[in-house]
Amino acid sequence: MAAEDTETVSLDGHRLTLTNLDKVLYPETGTTKADVIGYYNAIADVMVPHTRDRIATRKRWVHGVGTPDHPGEVFFEKNLNAASTPSWVKTRTITHKTSANTYPLVNDRATLVWLAQLASLELHVPQWRVGRGDARQNPDRLVLDLDPGEGATLLDCAEVARLARAILRDMGLDPLPVTSGSKGIHLYAPLDGSQTSDQVSAVAHELARALEADHPDLVVSDMKKALRAGKVLVDWSQNNGNKTTIAPYSLRGRFRPTVAAPRTWRELASPDLRHLEYTEVLDRVKRRGDPLASLSAGRAAAEQTDRLTTYRSKRDAEKTPEPVPSVSPDAADGRSFVIQEHHAGRLHWDFRLQHDGVLVSWALPKGPPTDPKQNHLAVHVEDHPLEYGTFAGDIPHGEYGAGHVDIWDHGEYELEKWRDDEVIATLHGQKDGGLGGVPRKFALIATAQGGDEKNWLIHLMKETGEHPSAPEGPAAETGARKKAAKAKKGAPKTATAKTPTAKTAHRSIDSPPISPMLATLGSRQDIHDEAEWAFEMKWDGIRAIAVVQDGALRLTTRNGNDVTRTYPELAGLAELADGHDLVVDGEIVTLTRQGRPDFGLLQTRMGLTRPAEVEAAAKRAPAHYFVFDILELDGTDLRREPYDERRAALEDVLTPAKDDPVQVPPAFAGDVDHAIASSKELGLEGVMAKQRDGTYATGRRSRTWIKIKHHLSQEVVIGGWTPGNGRRANGIGALLLGIPDGDRLRYVGKVGTGFTDAMLDDLAAKLSAHPRKTPPLDGVPSLDARGAHWVRPEYVGEVEFAEWTGTDRLRQPSWRGLRPDKSADEVVRES
């Protein structure tokens, strides 16, 4: 054996001898054993949480996977060879009906690499974990294996995944998809561990039967191969306590090095959906993290052994000049800070404060803010060792954070507040430092939007004489603070209200509603000079104009409907106005437990007016009002003012507490790519780009506001429906949809997925009251029209879809819900 084909490495304190590194395990791509080991070493941080404390069955290809003409031999292994297993590998012995087998637990990077050294390409684990004394715990996740039969495709599996997701969500479970790397898709849903494997398996079996009953042409729940042609098998059996499933992030023993890759639901809607290879997965994880992280999130927190575990896991002391201490830090006293200019793949500044023996760190894509009116994004990253406070130099190419690091400023800070969600500190830097040699007070605030605690804001606080407990700045961004009481009506106006172009607005609470300004659908390519634009998150709800007059509130939707009584929990906006008269624009949303907008949940609130129903709905699905623009202030019309001036006035007059149902979400300046990436990470609908010198164009669609969506959506008019099958045999199976085109309503397809039972019942009641004998839609194919019930085209809804087909039809549409805030004549085709 050549010396260069062998290497001894140290991983987490364990020495491993790696051999035959040049052996080609995937001949079709030339992927070597060294490549496989490198993959498992790099992917360990996100893979181990999904394998920890689960017995691992291995599939080994000692001589490689071979070729289609000469497939390699595979060894299926359960029992470990005790003589050749390192003493540090954690094992468990499980008693089966006919034997007792000892399995490895893939609980750390070293074990994962050791198994890769044995050419264990595939790792399979059960849905349960082992506890003390080799005892099996109840399963902590449910899995469905969507397996395409002959003639079915991966896109068919994606369609079934969406159908299964709708049912699981109705059950209170939120599934996450994994393209298996072989043929189909796995769906995982976290469980609380209160049910046995037999009970979970029975539920999964019933779910598979329900899918088959509703969609007999697409789904089969029986394992018999003769029944599976052209259909997708929903394999529920892997929830059996004796079964295993390929572990997320495991390689597959296919002829190309594909991976069981966690994906997002938006990816599953793509017509280009395919299985991913290991190099693609590594790149995705580096850029986006683990889409499956929430499956093991609770356990991951318990796995953190010390403050620097994450820091060390991302760095190799033998390859980077950065300090990589091997021992846990002591909680050393001190108030040092450092800001480092980091020329990595994207220039950013690292803002670090000494606290509890480490440097608590945030990455600032645009650097520290220099204007109190302009907040910047601050991404909370892993804690760094105190030694990092003096680090400057070059991180080598290929290593985490590769690039040049300079110290931009450093010194001591005075601490005013340190909470889990808010830090206020005054920094005293160097005379020649980036802060200019003068004290700068910053507030760092966890926005918690989308349930992701990584995304904070950093706010430069004004130099005022206020008491530290009530500093100047937006209270929505500084926790539960509120400003000192503002001047009441009749006091001098703000600088914005005095500008020469502002006009007096004579408005009462009963004045005709203002029509909101509308955005134009666009893309990243529409943003040329980023300095001319501000970026806000796009919220998935309904637009509403709020008028506050003499302490009274009125909320109207885009089409002028008064919804004040429907959302009584938003009445606090009048009190929040603190004596000012206002007209503001915003979005009414409801949030999931994870803090993400949920349009389906908002549907349950729409149209309710009876006090008892409204009260019950408000408890079940409380509404929030996200305000993003101000149109009038104390009788002064601000719509002709530029966006920046309106934004400053809005942040000045509305300063809600963090837990208030009314919020003023942050705006970002000058970095569209980071705004888009943040929106995706938060699971939001997209980004709103707004020209900073643009005025407010009442009731008009303008290119000074551009909406950049992560997926395609379309408003549609309902023209009819067709009956369903199975469980839906006596009700709506699919809706027939159209879009106005001149004086006709052009057919654009039908939608049969995305509905909850409550949605179908509501639609049936509404549509049955508006029947008509002839189709209102032009161009409906005879096959789609068969058995159709036609209705007057009065109801507007919204769908998500993959793309427009060559015949101008919606491909793979999924129902999102009715849009009572829209009328049929407002619907236009989105480009």
Side-chain angles (χ1 to χ4, degrees):
M1 183 184 305
E4 60 269 21
D5 201 24
T6 302
E7 185 177 344
T8 299
V9 299
S10 178
L11 286 175
D12 302 330
H14 306 301
R15 291 180 64 82
L16 278 165
T17 298
L18 308 177
T19 61
N20 299 318
L21 295 176
D22 291 338
K23 178 181 286 186
V24 175
L25 297 183
Y26 291 87
E28 191 166 312
T29 58
T31 304
T32 65
K33 187 176 178 182
D35 295 327
V36 168
I37 290 173
Y39 167 73
Y40 277 121
N41 178 57
I43 207 67
D45 286 339
V46 294
M47 182 174 178
V48 167
H50 304 304
T51 60
R52 180 177 293 277
D53 294 337
R54 302 183 196 274
I55 60 171
T57 299
R58 293 85 60 210
K59 292 178 75 172
R60 298 174 60 205
W61 280 264
V62 178
H63 303 296
V65 300
T67 65
D69 294 332
H70 300 284
E73 183 178 10
V74 58
F75 299 89
F76 188 83
E77 295 185 345
K78 292 186 177 181
N79 214 13
L80 275 175
N81 183 336
S84 60
T85 301
S87 60
W88 43 264
V89 172
K90 292 182 173 61
T91 63
R92 288 291 188 272
T93 299
I94 303 298
T95 302
H96 302 285
K97 288 183 179 180
T98 58
S99 64
N101 296 333
T102 299
Y103 298 85
L105 302 180
V106 188
N107 284 14
D108 51 56
R109 182 193 314 274
T111 300
L112 192 56
V113 171
W114 173 68
L115 291 172
Q117 155 63 20
L118 300 178
S120 301
L121 301 182
E122 290 191 4
L123 302 178
H124 295 248
V125 294
Q127 313 320 315
W128 49 268
R129 300 179 188 262
V130 289
R132 295 181 178 177
D134 297 342
R136 299 189 191 190
Q137 297 177 339
N138 282 341
D140 59 356
R141 63 193 191 194
L142 174 148
V143 67
L144 296 177
D145 180 6
L146 310 180
D147 189 11
E150 184 177 355
T153 67
L154 186 63
L155 291 179
D156 293 323
C157 293
E159 177 69 13
V160 176
R162 287 187 287 274
L163 297 172
R165 184 192 191 194
I167 296 177
L168 287 166
R169 279 185 155 182
D170 286 347
M171 297 165 57
L173 302 176
D174 196 4
L176 301 164
V178 174
T179 46
S180 71
S182 177
K183 292 187 294 181
I185 292 173
H186 296 156
L187 287 185
Y188 288 95
L191 302 175
D192 61 10
S194 63
Q195 296 177 306
T196 66
S197 292
D198 288 344
Q199 291 171 322
V200 174
S201 188
V203 171
H205 193 182
E206 189 59 34
L207 190 155
R209 287 172 173 165
L211 284 169
E212 181 180 30
D214 286 352
H215 308 278
D217 296 333
L218 179 61
V219 177
V220 62
S221 63
D222 195 303
M223 303 290 179
K224 296 185 182 68
K225 286 191 175 181
L227 303 176
R228 294 169 55 183
K231 299 181 181 181
V232 175
L233 169 67
V234 179
D235 184 357
W236 49 271
S237 68
Q238 293 183 38
N239 297 283
N240 184 304
N242 295 319
K243 294 288 188 72
T244 60
T245 307
I246 189 77
Y249 293 108
S250 173
L251 283 163
R252 301 307 302 256
R254 313 290 288 178
F255 296 121
R256 297 185 68 87
T258 52
V259 171
R263 310 298 288 269
T264 66
W265 283 105
R266 290 197 174 106
E267 287 180 294
L268 256 64
S270 170
D272 300 321
L273 181 68
R274 59 179 176 82
H275 295 288
L276 300 179
E277 297 185 10
Y278 79 99
T279 52
E280 297 173 294
V281 172
L282 283 175
D283 181 61
R284 285 162 49 83
V285 168
K286 185 176 182 180
R287 288 184 291 112
R288 308 179 186 178
D290 178 17
L292 203 62
S294 61
L295 190 66
S296 302
R299 180 171 294 265
E303 291 169 2
Q304 193 80 354
T305 57
D306 65 57
R307 298 284 295 272
L308 296 180
T309 297
T310 302
Y311 174 88
R312 279 192 290 267
S313 71
K314 295 181 176 182
R315 292 162 178 85
D316 186 340
E318 297 179 2
K319 296 181 179 179
T320 178
E322 299 163 282
V324 186
S326 59
V327 297
S328 303
D330 294 322
D333 293 328
R335 288 283 182 263
S336 67
F337 84 90
V338 64
I339 303 174
Q340 288 152 318
E341 185 173 333
H342 193 168
H343 294 261
R346 179 181 293 277
L347 172 64
H348 64 277
W349 285 257
D350 295 312
F351 187 100
R352 311 190 195 282
L353 302 177
Q354 179 181 353
H355 187 69
D356 285 346
V358 296
L359 292 174
V360 181
S361 300
W362 293 263
L364 313 182
K366 304 300 293 183
T370 58
D371 182 349
K373 294 182 179 179
Q374 192 66 61
N375 301 317
H376 287 183
L377 176 67
V379 181
H380 196 197
V381 298
E382 72 271 15
D383 295 332
H384 282 52
L386 294 180
E387 296 94 323
Y388 215 98
T390 58
F391 173 72
D394 293 292
I395 302 173
H397 178 71
E399 296 303 302
Y400 178 78
H404 183 71
V405 177
D406 284 322
I407 294 180
W408 189 76
D409 208 342
H410 68 98
E412 303 290 324
Y413 72 90
E414 298 172 58
L415 182 64
E416 182 171 305
K417 180 182 293 187
W418 193 294
R419 300 191 322 201
D420 289 343
D421 61 350
E422 183 180 6
V423 176
I424 301 177
T426 300
L427 276 57
H428 298 271
Q430 307 304 304
K431 289 183 178 180
D432 58 349
L435 296 177
V438 296
R440 304 283 185 184
K441 182 187 284 190
F442 293 97
L444 288 145
I445 306 100
T447 62
Q449 291 170 7
D452 191 335
E453 296 180 356
K454 291 186 301 181
N455 290 281
W456 293 45
L457 290 175
I458 183 167
H459 170 69
L460 175 64
M461 304 182 75
K462 293 180 181 178
E463 297 296 325
T464 70
E466 288 181 341
H467 188 276
S469 64
E472 184 72 9
E477 302 157 355
T478 54
R481 302 191 312 269
K482 282 195 174 183
K483 285 185 178 181
K486 294 182 175 66
K488 300 297 180 182
K489 197 166 63 171
K493 302 292 189 293
T494 64
T496 299
K498 292 180 182 178
T499 55
T501 56
K503 295 184 178 180
T504 301
H506 302 285
R507 180 170 306 282
S508 72
I509 198 75
D510 297 320
S511 295
I514 293 177
S515 297
M517 178 175 174
L518 305 178
T520 301
L521 183 65
S523 68
R524 167 66 180 85
Q525 286 67 41
D526 292 307
I527 309 302
H528 302 295
D529 185 351
E530 290 181 312
E532 297 179 356
W533 296 83
F535 305 99
E536 302 172 2
M537 298 295 102
K538 189 176 188 309
W539 305 106
D540 197 6
I542 59 172
R543 287 286 290 282
I545 297 290
V547 177
V548 176
Q549 182 80 26
D550 295 328
L553 170 70
R554 185 188 185 199
L555 282 167
T556 55
T557 63
R558 177 171 148 182
N559 58 4
N561 291 334
D562 190 326
V563 292
T564 312
R565 290 189 299 167
T566 303
Y567 305 102
E569 61 269 51
L570 305 183
L573 175 59
E575 181 181 352
L576 191 63
D578 202 13
H580 291 282
D581 290 342
L582 306 172
V583 179
V584 294
D585 190 359
E587 196 91 358
I588 298 175
V589 301
T590 50
L591 304 177
T592 65
R593 293 177 181 176
Q594 294 75 33
R596 291 181 172 87
D598 187 331
F599 188 73
L601 194 61
L602 183 61
Q603 290 272 307
T604 66
R605 298 292 308 274
M606 294 181 183
L608 300 181
T609 55
R610 296 178 181 176
E613 292 179 344
V614 169
E615 181 180 1
K619 291 179 180 179
R620 181 183 69 251
H624 300 258
Y625 187 42
F626 288 173
V627 185
F628 49 71
D629 214 322
I630 184 166
L631 284 60
E632 297 177 11
L633 173 59
D634 290 332
T636 301
D637 193 335
L638 304 180
R639 284 174 284 180
R640 294 185 62 185
E641 301 302 315
Y643 168 87
D644 278 351
E645 296 297 330
R646 299 198 312 276
R647 181 76 196 189
L650 174 63
E651 292 181 351
D652 187 59
V653 75
L654 288 185
T655 58
K658 185 177 178 180
D659 57 353
D660 199 296
V662 177
Q663 291 294 320
V664 180
F668 305 89
D671 194 337
V672 61
D673 292 327
H674 206 285
I676 291 172
S678 297
S679 176
K680 288 180 178 179
E681 288 178 9
L682 293 170
L684 301 180
E685 188 182 10
V687 167
M688 293 294 300
K690 299 183 177 181
Q691 281 191 348
R692 298 175 65 178
D693 61 356
T695 59
Y696 190 96
T698 305
R700 292 193 291 111
R701 194 175 299 277
S702 170
R703 288 196 64 81
T704 61
W705 284 12
I706 293 179
K707 51 186 174 182
I708 303 172
K709 293 186 175 183
H710 305 316
H711 61 278
L712 295 177
S713 64
Q714 176 64 53
E715 293 169 3
V716 289
V717 181
I718 301 173
W721 58 275
T722 56
N725 298 307
R727 190 161 52 92
R728 293 192 197 169
N730 297 318
I732 295 173
L735 298 176
L736 304 177
L737 311 173
I739 292 177
D741 186 1
D743 58 357
R744 67 184 185 127
L745 190 62
R746 180 173 54 82
Y747 181 67
V748 293
K750 63 179 181 178
V751 58
T753 64
F755 301 102
T756 65
D757 288 343
M759 285 181 181
L760 290 172
D761 292 343
D762 181 56
L763 283 166
K766 285 182 166 67
L767 299 181
S768 65
H770 299 270
R772 59 178 282 167
K773 295 181 179 180
T774 57
L777 304 167
D778 281 357
V780 184
S782 58
L783 184 62
D784 289 0
R786 186 177 302 163
H789 297 256
W790 305 113
V791 299
R792 296 200 299 270
E794 298 172 351
Y795 284 103
V796 174
E798 186 172 319
V799 296
E800 286 185 0
F801 66 107
E803 64 177 350
W804 287 102
T805 69
T807 57
D808 242 12
R809 300 286 168 79
L810 299 165
R811 176 177 171 79
Q812 297 179 348
S814 178
W815 183 252
R816 299 194 68 240
L818 285 171
R819 297 301 307 243
D821 56 324
K822 307 289 177 67
S823 59
D825 58 0
E826 291 182 284
V827 174
V828 296
R829 170 173 163 162
E830 300 276 13
S831 58

